[in-house]
Amino acid sequence: MSTSAPPIYEFGEYRLNATNRMLTNNAGKRIELTGKVFDALVYFLEHPGTVVDRQILLGALWPDTVVEENNLNQTVAALRRAIGHDYIQTVPRRGYQFAAEVQRKSEVSNSGPGRVGRSPVRKSLLTLVAGMLFVGGGYYLWSTSDQAPDALSKPAKIAVLPCDNLSPNADDAYLALSLHQEILEQLGKLNGLLVVSRSSMMQYADDRPPIPEIATLLDATAIMECSVRYSAGRIVVNAQVIDPETDSQLWTGSYPGDLAEVSTVINIQSEIARQVAQSLGIDYLPAEQQKLQRTPTESLDAYAEYLKAKQSISWGGYSLGYSTDDFHLHINRAIKIDPTFALAYSDRALGRLSRLLDALRSHNGAARPDVSDGTLLQMRALARSDATKALDLDPTLGRAHVVLGAVEHLSGDTESAYARFRQAIESSPNDAEILSFVVGFYLRDGQQNEALELLAHIKQLNPVDRDVGFYFYLAGDRGTAVQLLRRLIKLDPTDAFLHGLVGYCQAIDGMVVEAEATLRLAEELYSSESRTGPSTGMLPTLAYAYSRIGLAEDAQRLAKEFMEIASTVSVNPMRWAEIQLALGDTEMAYNTLVGVANRPLPPFVSLELEFVLNSYNDPMFEQDRIVTLRRQLSGETFPR
């Protein structure tokens, strides 16, 4: 029997000590690995360059237990996330191969060619330290032995691709769209699982790149695909969950049913959600399971109208998308068919709030408002009524809580508003749209720290959303804002608006060469998109960015274009303030901002003014009068 001590392995930037079960990098930082993940790495290090069969690796890691290949998929995926993807290569239809060169050393070896023996004192110290590490390592393994296999690595995060519509009748396409959204909402009820939001996923409705590319962009650990076919009263839903690391199935299922009752659809949705979660090593708690299987309405017709209404929205955190006539047509029909339909009341409350915010923008931005104050009050009352009704029927509806919070905020009761917002966040922790909407109020009230804390979570759920990037900018985190904008540019390199915002950020940060190149590219892309070039909303931003990097002629050129357009159409006065800043006319800019600030500004409308006041980093804003104006709009965000 060999009595040699367990070896030390060195590969790439890492060092693994098998005695104390410790993996460190070149800087000495410990890389935390759970038991099976560590065992898998040791096995690979013992067989470098060898193609390891999946079944052999399963037997080595779980010698006395029968487990599914899903366990191996998750273990290898966790290892790749810990040390990088380049070390372990997947060999199609065979297994895995450790690709890096491995050096194996004996922990106790202290002699040999080119080595100098350690002194007895040094050896004693090393023995003492090794003993301490061994005890510490043993305690660590004991303390984490009951955790899930991947508990210390990246949290599970799933991206659900839009469901393919295989129904022969085009009128039934809404079923595939709705099923996608409902599965997202069902998975969103599960604590411990991150779910990429609908707004980030709808870009893949028509054009779908390879699964690994989608996973990388969205930072997802799993991808779900599904298809829906409905014909002659029968529905069939097929779904699968894919591990993008190995391009292998974690789970697959087929669900046929007779679409005569709502419960058929709900059962299919809830079972898919349950199986998806289980494939990722997560189980619904009993209370969550009850929510999952709750039937929202007994009327199939009401549910169909509700699903059709959901397909006419385009939610955005910066502005609600529930204003369309088509949405209100179908949601009203759903409530008329079933007056006890809580979800329908909740969504109609959002619809009424959406129209109220649209009306407020028009009311505050027009010389002659097209709605009266009495009409605005009536719209607010209707939104409150629907949200209250929804919560009477189901107190857990986060979106109804957020509507009441917005209404209270508009009424001036910020304490009640934030109590509602907290209830909304607690009820819907994975609803990125709800959370983004709440962030808007945090920013409006100068609560930047609270906004950033919530945005960090939203960024995981909604990693490719323009509004989220804009919010990070308003919260003072320009670095993350630019990171998100660049991620969006990867999706669409021809998006002039995104290039314009990145160029603007670069200009504010004093990156003169980079800013000029990006701004000129944005202008070029705008010109290729339309004959008119940048819009009246973007022209002032580009003009100011040019002025900040010393290109006064370009700033004047764009300002002239803006003025020509503004002479024929109504333009938001805040855009005029930007142009005046670009031209260096600070006195005129101040007078313009004071005029706008003296109007009653609702949330989101005022955020546009916040953008002008808070993000330009202009010396003008250090003047006492500007600081006073900023404090008036943003509480105590800007100290005296």
Side-chain angles (χ1 to χ4, degrees):
M1 177 182 295
S2 173
T3 59
S4 61
I8 290 175
Y9 298 96
E10 293 181 353
F11 63 98
E13 61 180 290
Y14 298 105
R15 176 185 176 92
L16 183 145
N17 189 318
T19 298
N20 55 35
R21 294 180 64 85
M22 180 182 294
L23 177 68
T24 56
N25 61 17
N26 286 341
K29 179 181 178 182
R30 180 170 180 165
I31 312 300
E32 303 290 9
L33 301 176
T34 53
K36 290 299 180 187
V37 177
F38 189 93
D39 292 342
L41 178 55
V42 170
Y43 192 91
F44 281 125
L45 295 176
E46 290 174 345
H47 304 83
T50 303
V51 177
V52 179
D53 183 87
R54 292 173 60 86
Q55 293 303 319
I56 292 176
L57 187 55
L58 270 170
L61 297 179
W62 289 274
D64 302 315
T65 308
V66 178
V67 297
E68 298 179 357
E69 287 200 12
N70 176 36
N71 295 69
L72 180 60
N73 294 339
Q74 293 190 44
T75 299
V76 173
L79 180 55
R80 281 171 164 157
R81 289 195 293 271
I83 66 173
H85 294 69
D86 296 334
Y87 290 102
I88 303 171
Q89 296 180 352
T90 298
V91 181
R93 294 183 295 278
R94 295 182 64 188
Y96 303 102
Q97 184 179 34
F98 196 81
E101 180 181 350
V102 179
Q103 293 186 9
R104 177 182 173 129
K105 301 180 179 181
S106 172
E107 183 184 14
V108 297
S109 174
N110 58 10
S111 62
R115 293 183 65 96
V116 178
R118 298 189 180 99
S119 69
V121 173
R122 181 170 175 79
K123 287 202 294 185
S124 298
L125 286 172
L126 287 172
T127 303
L128 176 61
V129 171
M132 292 172 64
L133 289 173
F134 181 80
V135 173
Y139 170 77
Y140 171 77
L141 291 170
W142 170 79
S143 65
T144 59
S145 61
D146 292 332
Q147 295 189 28
D150 203 12
L152 296 179
S153 57
K154 181 187 290 186
K157 179 178 179 182
I158 189 166
V160 181
L161 292 167
C163 296
D164 295 323
N165 175 41
L166 305 181
S167 303
N169 190 340
D171 292 339
D172 297 322
Y174 75 94
L175 284 170
L177 294 169
S178 301
L179 187 77
H180 173 245
Q181 184 161 325
E182 295 304 304
I183 289 174
L184 283 174
E185 292 186 8
Q186 297 283 35
L187 289 171
K189 298 172 183 176
L190 180 63
N191 288 319
L193 177 64
L194 295 173
V195 184
V196 179
S197 73
R198 179 177 182 266
S199 58
S200 284
M201 297 309 304
M202 288 310 294
Q203 62 186 301
Y204 301 117
D206 300 315
D207 186 19
R208 194 166 295 178
I211 292 294
E213 185 177 326
I214 296 174
T216 299
L217 181 67
L218 301 177
D219 200 25
T221 60
I223 303 290
M224 175 183 157
E225 294 181 312
C226 62
S227 66
V228 180
R229 178 180 177 84
Y230 175 68
S231 180
R234 296 281 298 173
I235 188 171
V236 179
V237 181
N238 291 306
Q240 64 174 344
V241 176
I242 301 171
D243 178 359
E245 302 279 358
T246 62
D247 199 25
S248 59
Q249 283 184 341
L250 297 176
W251 165 82
T252 183
S254 182
Y255 299 89
D258 186 355
L259 200 59
E261 297 180 350
V262 176
S263 58
T264 300
V265 182
I266 302 302
N267 289 339
I268 289 175
Q269 292 170 179
S270 62
E271 181 59 19
I272 289 176
R274 191 181 68 80
Q275 291 289 349
V276 167
Q278 193 174 66
S279 74
L280 300 175
I282 302 171
D283 290 320
Y284 282 88
L285 298 174
E288 293 170 335
Q289 185 73 24
Q290 289 178 359
K291 287 183 182 180
L292 201 64
Q293 296 175 329
R294 187 179 300 163
T295 301
T297 175
E298 297 297 331
S299 170
L300 189 62
D301 290 338
Y303 194 61
E305 293 294 339
Y306 167 76
L307 295 180
K308 291 176 182 177
K310 300 277 277 188
Q311 300 321 306
S312 60
I313 62 173
S314 55
W315 184 295
Y318 186 62
S319 59
L320 291 170
Y322 284 68
S323 298
T324 66
D325 291 339
D326 199 36
F327 168 80
H328 284 270
L329 171 68
H330 290 294
I331 206 69
N332 286 336
R333 285 178 178 173
I335 291 174
K336 184 175 181 180
I337 295 170
D338 181 2
T340 64
F341 195 169
L343 282 174
Y345 280 108
S346 177
D347 276 13
R348 191 169 75 175
L350 280 168
R352 286 177 162 166
L353 177 62
S354 184
R355 286 187 164 179
L356 170 61
L357 293 177
D358 290 345
L360 283 168
R361 288 189 195 91
S362 174
H363 184 75
N364 287 277
R368 295 181 179 179
D370 57 359
V371 290
S372 66
D373 290 337
T375 301
L376 294 174
L377 289 173
Q378 183 181 17
M379 295 173 74
R380 194 163 68 192
L382 290 171
R384 185 196 299 273
S385 175
D386 273 348
T388 302
K389 178 68 173 178
L391 291 174
D392 287 342
L393 294 167
D394 183 353
T396 67
L397 294 175
R399 296 193 171 195
H401 282 297
V402 90
V403 170
L404 287 181
V407 169
E408 295 295 347
H409 199 283
L410 290 170
S411 304
D413 188 350
T414 55
E415 184 177 348
S416 297
Y418 280 101
R420 287 290 184 182
F421 291 151
R422 286 190 292 272
Q423 287 178 291
I425 294 170
E426 184 179 344
S427 299
S428 305
N430 277 334
D431 191 332
E433 286 81 10
I434 282 290
L435 303 182
S436 295
F437 188 68
V438 172
V439 164
F441 288 90
Y442 281 136
L443 290 172
R444 170 61 187 89
D445 293 335
Q447 300 183 43
Q448 260 73 1
N449 290 336
E450 292 83 352
L452 283 170
E453 183 178 344
L454 198 52
L455 280 169
H457 181 58
I458 296 171
K459 178 173 172 280
Q460 293 182 296
L461 304 173
N462 210 356
V464 285
D465 186 271
R466 186 180 294 177
D467 291 332
V468 177
F470 182 60
Y471 278 160
F472 268 107
Y473 188 89
L474 287 178
D477 188 349
R478 269 202 302 275
T480 302
V482 171
Q483 177 193 50
L484 292 177
L485 292 172
R486 289 194 182 281
R487 182 177 287 183
L488 284 164
I489 287 174
K490 286 184 179 180
L491 285 174
D492 185 3
T494 65
D495 191 321
F497 178 81
L498 295 174
H499 285 287
L501 286 182
V502 171
Y504 169 82
C505 292
Q506 291 170 332
I508 296 298
D509 288 335
M511 303 168 64
V512 177
V513 176
E514 297 87 343
E516 180 180 358
T518 307
L519 292 169
R520 296 206 185 283
L521 174 59
E523 279 201 81
E524 181 182 337
L525 291 171
Y526 271 121
S527 298
S528 65
E529 288 178 0
S530 65
R531 295 179 181 179
T532 57
S535 66
T536 55
M538 200 62 193
L539 274 168
T541 301
L542 295 176
Y544 185 81
Y546 276 128
S547 73
R548 284 300 296 266
I549 58 175
L551 299 176
E553 291 185 3
D554 289 292
Q556 292 167 3
R557 171 176 56 82
L558 294 182
K560 183 179 179 181
E561 289 184 31
F562 173 84
M563 292 176 186
E564 289 175 355
I565 298 173
S567 65
T568 59
V569 299
S570 177
V571 173
N572 190 317
M574 288 178 278
R575 304 285 80 81
W576 275 108
E578 292 178 75
I579 285 292
Q580 290 153 358
L581 287 172
L583 296 176
D585 192 344
T586 56
E587 192 65 29
M588 183 64 74
Y590 172 74
N591 291 333
T592 299
L593 293 173
V594 169
V596 177
N598 286 334
R599 296 185 178 191
L601 294 170
F604 299 100
V605 176
S606 62
L607 272 181
E608 297 179 22
L609 183 54
E610 292 280 323
F611 180 72
V612 177
L613 287 178
N614 301 345
S615 57
Y616 276 87
N617 193 27
D618 194 292
M620 165 194 173
F621 293 137
E622 300 305 317
Q623 300 175 17
D624 289 342
R625 59 178 181 169
I626 302 294
V627 172
T628 300
L629 180 61
R630 296 165 83 178
R631 188 177 295 115
Q632 172 189 334
L633 290 164
S634 300
E636 293 300 320
T637 304
F638 307 98
R640 298 180 186 279

